[in-house]
Amino acid sequence: SAMEYYTRLIKKGRFLDDAIRDLRDALYRYPVEVSIWQALGDAYMRSNRLQEALDAYTKAEELLR
């Protein structure tokens, strides 16, 4: 699946800007998909964009409730 591919890229720290852009685009179509929010948080974290990572993780947590 696409999410598995993005997860691997993010873990390796590769193509993070592209992954972030693609994940943000995916959220327009699937705004309540927790796995996308989590992956986006991971990508932001790897890019040292900590506030954006926290925001994405917070949104994922809110959706789980």
Side-chain angles (χ1 to χ4, degrees):
S1 100
M3 287 309 299
E4 292 171 6
Y5 174 74
Y6 283 109
T7 300
R8 284 195 306 269
L9 282 179
I10 292 165
K11 284 183 180 179
K12 292 179 180 180
R14 303 187 70 203
F15 306 108
L16 292 173
D17 290 335
D18 293 330
I20 289 169
R21 185 190 66 242
D22 291 349
L23 292 168
R24 289 181 55 83
D25 288 347
L27 285 169
Y28 283 112
R29 285 178 272 152
Y30 307 102
V32 295
E33 183 60 47
V34 174
S35 63
I36 299 174
W37 284 106
Q38 289 174 323
L40 182 59
D42 294 344
Y44 280 140
M45 187 68 74
R46 286 282 193 170
S47 297
N48 291 318
R49 295 165 66 174
L50 303 182
Q51 185 59 56
E52 290 164 298
L54 287 172
D55 293 344
Y57 290 140
T58 299
K59 181 64 176 179
E61 182 182 16
E62 289 171 359
L63 291 170
L64 287 172
R65 294 183 185 171

